[in-house]
Amino acid sequence: LVPVITIDGPSASGKGTVAQRVAAALGFHYLDSGALYRLTALAAERRGVVWRDELAVAKLAGELDAVFDGAAVLLDGNNVTEAIRSEGIGIGASVVAALPAVRSALLARQHAFAEAPGLVADGRDMGSVVFPDARLKVFLTASAQARAERRHKQLLAAGEPADLAAIAADLESRDARDRARKVAPLQQWADALLLDTTDMGVDEAVEQVLSWWKN
Ligand code: CDP
């Protein structure tokens, strides 16, 4: 059985960075499950399929021609690394992610990432639905204020205009949507260890996950 570490948590908590660093430290594969929902939303947009059309979007999700090549993401052979990170596609991702048929269409693809020597999987339902038998489950979070400040810093570094209050409001509504929907709601699972990174740097968060893994 391939060992799996799941890291679930809210937007802008820093779980992606921590998950990638843990994977690199252990020599494990890395699954960014949010990217699959973003790719599905982008594929639908490019084919003129509306995000709420559950069956049509699920069909696209099942047939997604996606390649993860290091940090680059390809869709139908085109580099979409930046395109899937746009705000509009983030909204589309959360719309298509609320459709049960889309989630099941992406299950097999997510399971396929669990290859030797191991996997670190990042998302909302990694420990609950996709990899319920994972050996270590982490719920990584931070206060709303800390998460808004992190996203703000990220946008400024990317040279994008950013307003802290607007970002905080956006995160709040995204969390509410992720928490309230019927499938894969955002919550801490009973068997996940809580990692609150409000007053913690990335290095310290990575060290904590690695020490849980080793013990
Ligand atoms: O960090 P951020 O929420 O901006 O983006 P993400 O992790 O790339 O996920 C994009 C969207 O996909 C989220 O808003 C969730 O609604 C959804 N998602 C999900 O439903 N299940 C997952 N395992 C991962 C993401």
Side-chain angles (χ1 to χ4, degrees), residues 8 10-12 15 32-35 37-38 85 90 93-95 97-98 103 110 122-126 151 174 178 181 184:
D8 289 302
S11 281
K15 64 185 161 32
D32 173 2
S33 60
Y37 291 97
R38 288 172 179 273
R85 296 294 151 199
S94 74
V95 172
R103 302 198 76 86
Q110 295 177 80
D122 140 26
R124 302 289 188 287
D125 62 343
M126 297 296 99
R151 175 71 37 103
R174 196 181 288 236
D178 281 354
R181 65 191 181 191

Side-chain angles (χ1 to χ4, degrees), residues 183-204:
V183 285
L186 178 64
Q187 65 181 82
Q188 187 194 346
W189 314 99
D191 56 350
L193 300 175
L194 178 65
L195 184 55
D196 185 334
T197 65
T198 303
D199 299 308
M200 210 184 261
V202 175
D203 289 344
E204 206 183 329

Side-chain angles (χ1 to χ4, degrees), residues 16-164:
T17 307
V18 172
Q20 284 179 63
R21 293 263 305 261
V22 170
L26 297 171
F28 282 12
H29 299 281
Y30 167 59
L31 166 61
D32 173 2
S33 60
L36 291 175
Y37 291 97
R38 288 172 179 273
L39 281 163
T40 301
L42 182 66
E45 188 177 87
R46 293 196 168 171
R47 285 173 174 76
V49 169
V50 295
W51 288 330
R52 291 186 186 285
D53 186 341
E54 181 162 10
L55 292 186
V57 177
K59 187 163 183 291
L60 279 180
E63 296 167 349
L64 217 51
D65 174 9
V67 175
F68 292 86
D69 183 9
V73 186
L74 308 183
L75 177 65
D76 300 319
N78 302 312
N79 191 323
V80 295
T81 317
E82 306 223 318
I84 60 166
R85 296 294 151 199
S86 80
E87 187 58 23
I89 291 302
I91 292 167
S94 74
V95 172
V96 302
L99 307 171
V102 172
R103 302 198 76 86
S104 25
L106 289 175
L107 261 185
R109 184 179 295 266
Q110 295 177 80
H111 290 154
F113 279 81
E115 282 194 82
L119 173 70
V120 180
D122 140 26
R124 302 289 188 287
D125 62 343
M126 297 296 99
S128 55
V129 177
V130 183
F131 300 107
D133 299 325
R135 218 181 278 173
L136 172 64
K137 301 180 185 183
V138 176
F139 189 82
L140 193 155
T141 189
S143 70
Q145 179 69 20
R147 292 189 288 121
E149 282 166 9
R150 284 174 197 173
R151 175 71 37 103
H152 184 240
K153 223 171 105 184
Q154 220 173 38
L155 289 172
L156 289 182
E160 287 179 46
D163 174 66
L164 188 58

